Every structure is written in C-alpha cells, then in structure tokens.
Amino acid sequence: MRVVYRGLAAIGVAAAAAVALVVVVFPAGPDEVAAGPVTAPPAAPFSSGPAPSTAAPPSASASASPPSASPSGSPVLAAEATPSSSPSPGSTLAPGYTAMEALYADPRVPKLTGRIKRIRLASPTRKVVKDRRTGLVVPNLSKPWKSYGAAPFTTKQVLPKARTGVRGMFVTCPLPTMRQKSPRDTALLAARWTLNHHPKGSRITWLASQPVKHGWMLVYRVKYGKHQSRAAVVVMDGGMSKPGLAFVTVPDSQRKQWRDIGRVVAGVRVLG
C-alpha cells in the first residue's frame, strides 16, 4: 500500500512540473507571439475577458488606429468617437461634405434667390481673344486694358496698377472647381473660388444672375473693408473636357471701367 501511495505522489510531482514547464515555455498573451509583416497596428485587447489565442487579419476598410474601449467595455470605432468636421470658409472640402454644402456653409457667399434681377446684355465687341484651351471667345478690351502674362490662367488682361495695390483683371481658364449638374450651381462655385483673388475678408453681394447660351453668368459686388470691387463670372461649355471660365473684377479705385463688366458678360461665346 505504501508503494502505491509513493507512486501516486511521484506522478503528482511530475504533473506539477509539466504544468510549470508549459507556463514558462508558452507566452502569456497574444502580444508576445512572434509576428510576421505588420499591415496595421494591432488592436488593443478588450478591457475584460480572455484574450483570443489567434487574431484575424485586419480588413482593408479598417482604420489603422486601434479602437478605444467604452465605459461598458465594448470597443468604440474611431469614426464613432470623433464627430465629423464641418466645412470651413475658403478651404477645401471637409470629409463627407459635397461642394454645394461647403458653399452653403460659407458666410461670405449669400444665398442666390429668385429676387436677383437680370441685366440687358449689350452687343458683343468685334475685337476678340480666342482661348483654344477653354473653347471660348472673349472680348479684347480697349485701353486702358492691356494683355499681360497669362499664367496661371490661359488669357489675361489687366488695368494699370492702382495706388491701392488692387487693379482690374479679366482672365479665362478651364473651370477650376467641380462641375455641377446645374450650370447655375457651377457658376456659384466659380464665384466663390474668385474670392481667392480678392483681398482677405471679402464678401459677395449678388447683382445679377441669368442663363447664357451654353452656360450661366453672375454679376456681383465684392466688399472688403471700406472698399469694394465689381466682378462677374461666366461659365460656359466650350466643348472641352471642362467648361471654360471667364472672370472679371474691377476695384472702386478704377470704377470708370465698371462699364466694361457688361461688355465682358455680353461678349463671351463658344469658339467656332
């Protein structure tokens, strides 16, 4: 009998030694497992419960940052924890917002209502500038306007330098904004873009809005501090990959040339 008890005791000691050996040889958690190539940071373990013995590979749509734990112990995705930002004036689009939503959120650009009047367009001038990149023909304005280095536009006419440092400019280029289903909306985005070429703090007041052949035109006032400019955009499909944009602006220090804005919007047409 004593032999049997001694045998059982020996087996128990051997079993305990084997368990200790297993604890020493195998890692205590998944973070200690030798890893292969890392495609994304490993997810943080849950706040409670046993750690899984194997980890599934991260999906292609998963965020690269690990999820945080909520007070209840369940993981919270980064998209749920961080609210989306709103579009800011004068900046590029915020994530999740369309171009028109960014426009409507911009306090510098008021809503274009049906009360905005139309203007009577004058007869187009005979002297023209042909812009083959936009597919447009635009007026070649008389003195004191003169042609100037076009870059980064495709054509450019300017007035003499003014004491205020702001002078009149008339340019054409392929549409620098996203084309919308409505020519009117496309012109609105183009007008907002032109604020990049006005002094800081500029705000728009609409003066005229109406369709033109193959596009839309807008005339508006741009106020900045104690001064203002008169400006206009014409967005027109000239048959190119992008619509063409004609943009003119004249400051109040050169108000004698405000009449030329009417000549511009009346004289833009498709080449050919």
Side-chain angles (χ1 to χ4, degrees):
M1 198 67 172
R2 291 179 181 178
V3 174
V4 173
Y5 285 141
R6 289 176 182 175
L8 291 175
I11 293 172
V13 171
V19 171
L21 180 60
V22 170
V23 172
V24 172
V25 172
F26 289 96
D31 292 340
E32 296 177 18
V33 177
V38 178
T39 57
F46 297 134
S47 58
S48 62
S53 58
T54 58
S59 63
S61 61
S63 171
S65 58
S68 58
S70 68
S72 62
S74 59
V76 180
L77 297 179
E80 298 173 350
T82 306
S84 60
S85 58
S86 60
S88 57
S91 67
T92 55
L93 293 182
Y97 284 82
T98 66
M100 294 307 296
E101 287 172 335
L103 172 74
Y104 297 143
D106 195 334
R108 305 172 304 167
V109 185
K111 185 177 180 181
L112 182 61
T113 66
R115 295 180 180 180
I116 305 301
K117 63 181 181 180
R118 296 188 177 195
I119 60 173
R120 184 176 180 179
L121 299 180
S123 300
T125 59
R126 294 183 179 181
K127 294 183 178 181
V128 297
V129 176
K130 297 180 180 180
D131 183 357
R132 301 190 181 280
R133 280 194 59 192
T134 61
L136 300 182
V137 175
V138 298
N140 187 1
L141 300 174
S142 57
K143 292 182 179 181
W145 292 91
K146 64 178 181 179
S147 297
Y148 196 74
F153 307 100
T154 49
T155 71
K156 186 176 183 180
Q157 301 174 55
V158 297
L159 288 171
K161 289 184 178 180
R163 294 179 180 178
T164 59
V166 181
R167 63 174 174 175
M169 178 177 70
F170 173 34
V171 299
T172 60
C173 63
L175 184 69
T177 59
M178 287 180 282
R179 185 176 191 172
Q180 304 299 301
K181 292 182 179 180
S182 163
R184 174 181 175 274
D185 289 347
T186 304
L188 283 170
L189 291 180
R192 178 181 186 242
W193 172 85
T194 65
L195 291 177
N196 296 325
H197 298 277
H198 288 99
K200 186 177 180 180
S202 296
R203 288 175 174 259
I204 284 176
T205 300
W206 301 117
L207 299 177
S209 170
Q210 61 200 72
V212 292
K213 193 174 183 179
H214 304 293
W216 200 275
M217 68 132 234
L218 295 167
V219 181
Y220 49 100
R221 180 189 303 114
V222 183
K223 296 192 69 175
Y224 39 90
K226 297 180 180 180
H227 295 279
Q228 62 173 289
S229 293
R230 296 289 175 91
V233 293
V234 180
V235 176
M236 192 173 287
D237 188 350
M240 302 299 171
S241 58
K242 299 187 70 174
L245 170 67
F247 161 50
V248 59
T249 179
V250 180
D252 52 11
S253 59
Q254 298 174 320
R255 65 179 69 239
K256 290 182 179 180
Q257 267 57 56
W258 279 355
R259 61 179 180 270
D260 292 331
I261 294 175
R263 295 190 178 103
V264 168
V265 296
V268 180
R269 66 180 189 272
V270 172
L271 179 64

